[in-house]
Amino acid sequence: METTTTPVFHNNATAVSGQNNSDEYFETYLKLNTVALIIDSLAFVLGVLENGVVIWVIRFKMKKTVNTVWFLNLAVADFLFAAFLPFSMTYMALTHWPFSKFMCKLNSTIIYLSMFASVYILVVISLDRCVSVVWPVWTQNHRNVRRASCVSLGVWVLALIFSTPYFIFRDTYVENITICFENFALSDDYETPSVIELGQFRHQAMTITRFLLGFAVPFTVIVFSYAVIIHRLRRNRTLATQSNRPFKIIAAIITTFLLCFGPFHITSLLDMVYFTDYFNGSETLSLVIAFSYPIATSLAFLNSCLNPLLYVFMSQDFKDKVHKSILSVFETLFQTEE
């Protein structure tokens, strides 16, 4: 999820070191980069482990239902996201791309594929819960595993369509070090005005589209769906007076989505603005982007290990299945040793 678009601003370290008071700025950048790498490492380890457990338990230990279809697809998307984190972490740590051009394209595509899939599955889950609360009779008659599987397939197809441009535009640039960046102009010419203008136009189109379809619209749908659910729960005074747990879970889901994806998309929009004719060359804006980018990206990465905690591990039935499965594994292990 690098926001860089041309070799002129090919990585944040170069952007920081090119400014006045560069030593002080660069030291701050390195500290932020270290914090980001720690968060990324945590997201990688927890994301792979948590989602791996979810996939295993749902696939082999639980009955196939509509909910398990949603959570299985969410876990697969987040597992895929987390599994490719080492490539981005290596790029961030080395400040150059040590892999091939194909891996530069593939890594970016997989990251965005899993991000779009994860976001849209979260939207589907919120809509499914909303419909179940508002129209329970209709839901009972029409909600089934086959339809849930078809919807999940549609989500992956949509995510693939939205992520394909990143495979097309992603490119490498070699000058002392190798940079993996988004070459929106699809050209090695970085000086001709018409080529620069084409790159800026595609950059703006991709960034705005990603913000709208990957954040603004999904977040609006999620908030609206849970607002309807909260309204219905409050009307049911018996349920509302028994526990505040549903409201706390809903608040956690909305807050997590906003905090994880909001900073990344805001940074992307700032990066887009930086490359407009009016702001191009602004030292202040370039520093804001360089300093915010590592943390903003890491927060987006962190979402892959928070989803299992919010959506799956809070389920008592799932926790019981995990407990029984772990006991079964140890029993089999000890029996084999005997």
Side-chain angles (χ1 to χ4, degrees):
M1 275 191 186
E2 294 81 12
T3 59
T4 52
T5 51
T6 71
V8 176
F9 191 60
H10 56 246
N11 66 42
N12 299 294
T14 302
V16 172
S17 61
Q19 309 296 335
N20 296 327
N21 301 319
S22 59
D23 291 341
E24 180 182 351
Y25 289 149
F26 193 69
E27 184 179 349
T28 302
Y29 170 78
L30 289 178
K31 291 179 180 179
L32 291 173
N33 208 47
T34 301
V35 173
L37 283 171
I38 293 173
I39 297 174
D40 292 349
S41 301
L42 183 66
F44 167 66
V45 174
L46 294 180
V48 169
L49 289 177
E50 290 176 0
N51 290 291
V53 170
V54 172
I55 293 170
W56 177 61
V57 172
I58 291 180
R59 181 65 181 83
F60 298 106
K61 302 296 181 179
M62 299 186 73
K63 180 182 177 181
K64 195 172 185 180
T65 64
V66 172
N67 284 335
T68 59
V69 170
W70 302 147
F71 295 141
L72 178 61
N73 280 273
L74 180 62
V76 170
D78 288 336
F79 181 87
L80 193 62
F81 194 102
F84 271 75
L85 278 183
F87 293 101
S88 298
M89 291 165 58
T90 302
Y91 188 26
M92 184 181 294
L94 300 179
T95 66
H96 75 92
W97 184 256
F99 309 105
S100 66
K101 180 177 180 178
F102 175 78
M103 283 307 302
C104 170
K105 290 177 172 289
L106 181 64
N107 179 62
S108 182
T109 304
I110 294 297
I111 287 292
Y112 282 106
L113 169 68
S114 54
M115 184 195 76
F116 278 117
S118 179
V119 167
Y120 282 118
I121 291 169
L122 294 178
V123 170
V124 169
I125 291 174
S126 65
L127 286 173
D128 178 59
R129 290 177 172 179
C130 181
V131 171
S132 298
V133 170
V134 177
W135 297 291
V137 177
W138 184 92
T139 301
Q140 188 175 3
N141 295 330
H142 295 85
R143 187 174 180 267
N144 55 53
V145 172
R146 183 179 64 84
R147 287 184 174 139
S149 299
C150 290
V151 170
S152 298
L153 177 61
V155 166
W156 282 101
V157 172
L158 195 63
L160 181 61
I161 293 173
F162 290 157
S163 59
T164 298
Y166 296 96
F167 188 87
I168 297 172
F169 291 126
R170 209 68 182 174
D171 198 1
T172 54
Y173 176 84
V174 181
E175 185 179 352
N176 298 326
I177 59 175
T178 302
I179 304 302
C180 177
F181 74 109
E182 287 167 342
N183 185 1
F184 289 114
L186 296 177
S187 172
D188 294 332
D189 181 0
Y190 308 113
E191 297 180 358
T192 303
S194 59
V195 175
I196 295 174
E197 185 177 348
L198 175 62
Q200 289 178 347
F201 173 76
R202 289 175 174 171
H203 183 195
Q204 292 170 4
M206 287 285 291
T207 303
I208 293 173
T209 300
R210 183 174 62 203
F211 171 73
L212 292 176
L213 300 181
F215 178 72
V217 173
F219 183 69
T220 301
V221 174
I222 289 173
V223 170
F224 175 78
S225 299
Y226 285 120
V228 173
I229 293 174
I230 290 173
H231 176 69
R232 289 295 180 122
L233 289 178
R234 284 180 174 173
R235 287 179 58 184
N236 188 338
R237 294 184 178 180
T238 303
L239 179 61
T241 54
Q242 286 179 353
S243 174
N244 288 324
R245 189 169 182 267
F247 302 104
K248 292 179 180 178
I249 294 175
I250 290 172
I253 290 171
I254 294 174
T255 303
T256 300
F257 189 94
L258 180 62
L259 292 181
C260 285
F261 292 114
F264 167 73
H265 287 282
I266 291 173
T267 303
S268 297
L269 290 172
L270 289 175
D271 186 54
M272 179 194 71
V273 170
Y274 176 82
F275 283 97
T276 61
D277 292 334
Y278 183 78
F279 285 97
N280 197 6
S282 170
E283 292 185 2
T284 301
L285 187 56
S286 66
L287 285 172
V288 169
I289 296 169
F291 287 154
S292 61
Y293 163 74
I295 302 300
T297 306
S298 296
L299 288 175
F301 290 162
L302 195 62
N303 185 74
S304 63
C305 66
L306 294 179
N307 281 335
L309 298 177
L310 289 173
Y311 287 89
V312 183
F313 287 106
M314 286 186 177
S315 168
Q316 187 60 46
D317 180 52
F318 182 84
K319 289 189 288 188
D320 292 340
K321 293 291 183 182
V322 171
H323 181 69
K324 292 179 181 178
S325 298
I326 293 176
L327 288 178
S328 177
V329 168
F330 277 105
E331 288 175 359
T332 303
L333 178 64
F334 291 140
Q335 288 174 0
T336 302
E337 289 181 348
E338 291 176 359

